[in-house]
Amino acid sequence: MSSISFVCLGNICRSPLAEGIARRRFAEAGLDLAVASCGTGRWHVGEGADPRSRKVAAEAGYDLSGHRVRQLSGDDFRRFDLLLAMDRANLAVLEARRPADATARAVLFLELAGFAADVEVPDPYHGDLEAFRRVRELLERGMDELVLRFR
Ligand code: 4NP
């Protein structure tokens, strides 16, 4: 396995943060994995990450300034080995849009990280900065577990 894309709804809050955390954690662990992210929705295509995600990322030393929103495409199911959904709603979209020749596995991020099967990364879009910090911490905990499993 060599490439992973994190998937949320807008690709502005959760998955860019997951991507930034994964880049650093994987590099620190010496894991040679390509990392990307996308959204199932198209509203924010071409924009940067949400300023609240950028802020809580910067507080922990992750730089999301280069992020540009990308929408999930059929090609993602062939380009990536793993599509890691932030929640069940986006996992359902992945399953619904899966092309016949897909090779990627689509799974719930925290489930692959060993959390209980129903634990999701909650959508912080309508929340405050604390909600974004809780998302960052949950993603960091999940990524640490994922690194242990990938090693
Ligand atoms: P994300 O959060 O899926 O974590 O990027 C959201 C971003 C935008 C919207 C919803 C959730 N939106 O409705 O525009």
Side-chain angles (χ1 to χ4, degrees):
M1 198 202 45
S2 61
S3 61
I4 293 177
S5 186
F6 296 94
V7 184
C8 64
L9 179 59
N11 194 213
I12 57 173
C13 301
R14 290 166 290 178
S15 60
L17 203 43
E19 182 183 344
I21 293 167
R23 280 188 197 290
R24 197 163 86 202
R25 291 290 199 278
F26 293 172
E28 285 166 357
L31 290 169
D32 186 19
L33 290 168
V35 181
S37 66
C38 70
T40 55
R42 64 181 164 81
W43 311 285
H44 301 281
V45 168
E47 294 176 17
D50 187 286
R52 298 165 295 176
S53 267
R54 292 214 302 267
K55 179 172 170 58
V56 303
E59 286 171 358
Y62 309 105
D63 178 14
L64 307 188
S65 62
H67 179 70
R68 286 298 168 269
V69 171
R70 208 173 55 78
Q71 189 185 17
L72 174 75
S73 74
D75 201 40
D76 287 355
F77 290 87
R78 296 174 287 265
R79 276 175 60 204
F80 297 102
D81 298 303
L82 261 182
L83 300 175
L84 294 182
M86 294 289 114
D87 58 29
R88 294 201 165 277
N90 285 295
L91 181 61
V93 174
L94 287 172
E95 283 159 1
R97 294 197 197 156
R98 183 184 184 82
D101 61 350
T103 47
R105 257 180 86 202
V107 287
L108 210 52
F109 165 60
L110 289 177
E111 192 173 338
L112 191 70
F115 288 51
D118 57 350
V119 187
E120 303 178 301
V121 181
D123 181 352
Y125 189 62
H126 296 289
D128 58 11
L129 215 46
E130 263 321 299
F132 279 75
R133 288 195 188 98
R134 284 194 297 275
V135 162
R136 185 195 68 212
E137 283 157 16
L138 185 56
L139 289 169
E140 288 176 324
R141 278 167 44 215
M143 218 61 73
D144 287 340
E145 292 298 321
L146 204 63
V147 164
L148 293 176
R149 282 165 171 73
F150 284 167
R151 265 183 164 158

